[in-house]
Amino acid sequence: MRRRPTIHEVARVAGVSISSVSRALNGNTSNADMVARVNAAVREVGYVPSVVAQSLKTRHTGQVAFAMEDIGNAAYLEMVRRIQPTLREEGYRLLLHSTGADVEDELGVLASLSQNYVDGLILCPLRVTDRHVEALRQTAVPVVVIGLLPDDVPVDNVRADSRVGARLAVEHLAEAGARRIAFIDGPLDTVPGRARYDGYRRGLAAAGLPEDDALVRFTDFQFDAGRKAARELLTVHPGIDAVLGANDLIAMGVLHALRELGRDVPGDVRVVGMDDTPLAATSFPPLSSVSLGSADRGRIAAELLLRRLEGDDAPAERVTVPPSLTVRESSR
């Protein structure tokens, strides 16, 4: 392995002391001749200043972290595609961390902010506990949360209105003629799981349809979970004529289960997902889905964080991105 050039070599080639090299590299000298000599020596020996060492001196790393449940989820990828270029334009690198929705992992990320490895954090938790709230009140660097937070938590917060989004989906299915609308949700103890279940129930009420707990399943926000839950539901309740999946991964699992059971979509059963990720438009048949503005939420979160990194100390902002429904073949 090639040995990494050191600051000692830069000092030797430039003909100055190590402390002079340090002052020149950190912009702490007005001696233009010395700066020129040091820069020339840096290029000659191929010296790369240590980011860690510089951050200890300047308290600035040029890095921002994004912690989310699963980087493989297309909704988070949409956020990354907007967060990264927004930060890059201002000279920041983006570090990604998948938490698996583990509360201890998320709390560990918040605690590690005091170690000065990033200048800021965008956090997207599925569950928000009292411990999250306490940690957010004491964070060492600026944090923006994508998700629902209590209004008194003093950090910027970008929200989707999952409740309204689920209601839009149910009302659409009812208007299309569905009368037995099943719902496959994620865990009820998560913020999106609870909000989307509430929206489903409100949608039934608005359409004049009765609630039936037998048509609801709580599982994980994953493809296999949606496929398994759909097979169980449709086997026990063959009269189901529509299914709302709490995200596109669940809804894709529903489509696969229906194909395995020989049921036509949308002829026998209509299907709608949530998040409106690229998966929705490319599925077979194309999946109707509620957009929760993943890309917009990512962009807004990055912009809010940049403002804090620039020293803005205004009160915390709450931004809600409204949902919209895209109707495709799966529910027509």
Side-chain angles (χ1 to χ4, degrees):
M1 181 181 295
R2 185 176 181 272
R3 185 178 61 82
R4 177 175 177 156
T6 68
I7 194 171
H8 298 271
E9 293 173 72
V10 174
R12 178 179 55 79
V13 171
V16 299
S17 67
I18 293 174
S19 61
S20 293
V21 172
S22 180
R23 286 197 302 273
L25 294 178
N26 290 314
N28 295 327
T29 178
S30 58
N31 188 329
D33 178 65
M34 184 177 72
V35 171
R37 288 162 60 192
V38 168
N39 287 337
V42 165
R43 290 191 296 271
E44 181 177 336
V45 305
Y47 175 69
V48 179
S50 166
V51 172
V52 174
Q54 286 189 326
S55 69
L56 289 173
K57 294 176 181 178
T58 67
R59 311 300 293 177
H60 175 74
T61 68
Q63 300 184 149
V64 167
F66 177 34
M68 83 303 291
E69 183 253 344
D70 177 14
I71 189 56
N73 185 317
Y76 296 122
L77 287 175
E78 287 298 294
M79 292 181 188
V80 170
R81 290 191 180 106
R82 296 300 292 274
I83 292 171
Q84 187 162 2
T86 302
L87 294 174
R88 187 169 53 227
E89 287 179 4
E90 300 301 324
Y92 288 91
R93 292 177 297 274
L94 182 64
L95 306 180
L96 303 179
H97 179 79
S98 289
T99 67
D102 182 87
V103 170
E104 296 302 324
D105 192 289
E106 291 166 352
L107 292 171
V109 170
L110 288 169
S112 71
L113 295 177
S114 62
Q115 298 173 12
N116 196 46
Y117 79 102
V118 291
D119 298 326
L121 169 70
I122 298 173
L123 176 65
C124 194
L126 289 186
R127 298 172 178 85
V128 177
T129 66
D130 290 342
R131 295 168 68 198
H132 281 91
V133 170
E134 183 61 27
L136 287 167
R137 292 185 188 280
Q138 303 177 37
T139 128
V141 301
V143 176
V144 177
V145 171
I146 299 177
L148 189 63
L149 278 182
D151 286 335
D152 62 343
V153 180
V155 300
D156 294 320
N157 182 205
V158 185
R159 309 172 175 186
D161 200 332
S162 293
R163 186 174 288 104
V164 170
R167 175 173 173 165
L168 282 175
V170 173
E171 290 177 346
H172 158 68
L173 289 168
E175 289 169 2
R179 291 296 174 265
R180 287 178 60 76
I181 303 172
F183 181 43
I184 302 178
D185 198 3
L188 191 57
D189 67 339
T190 64
V191 173
R194 186 167 58 251
R196 294 172 200 191
Y197 178 53
D198 188 36
Y200 163 76
R201 296 172 63 198
R202 293 186 186 194
L204 291 177
L209 298 176
E211 288 187 37
D212 185 348
D213 291 341
L215 303 185
V216 178
R217 292 290 185 276
F218 298 103
T219 181
D220 292 322
F221 290 107
Q222 301 295 333
F223 170 86
D224 286 338
R227 178 171 169 268
K228 179 180 178 182
R231 286 186 65 93
E232 293 174 352
L233 271 172
L234 291 157
T235 299
V236 177
H237 303 282
I240 288 172
D241 55 10
V243 181
L244 170 61
N247 70 358
D248 285 349
L249 286 174
I250 290 175
M252 291 287 289
V254 173
L255 290 178
H256 278 250
L258 287 165
R259 188 175 300 118
E260 292 164 356
L261 294 170
R263 307 291 296 276
D264 180 66
V265 178
D268 298 328
V269 182
R270 292 179 169 86
V271 181
V272 175
M274 296 189 71
D275 284 330
D276 200 20
T277 62
L279 291 173
T282 57
S283 68
F284 184 79
L287 177 68
S288 296
S289 188
V290 177
S291 171
L292 297 172
S294 295
D296 285 340
R297 282 184 286 153
R299 173 185 55 79
I300 293 168
E303 291 172 348
L304 288 172
L305 186 61
L306 285 171
R307 283 172 48 185
R308 299 302 176 187
L309 292 172
E310 291 167 0
D312 188 335
D313 60 356
E317 287 200 36
R318 301 284 181 265
V319 180
T320 300
V321 176
S324 61
L325 172 66
T326 298
V327 177
R328 299 187 180 93
E329 187 180 337
S330 71
S331 68
R332 288 195 173 113

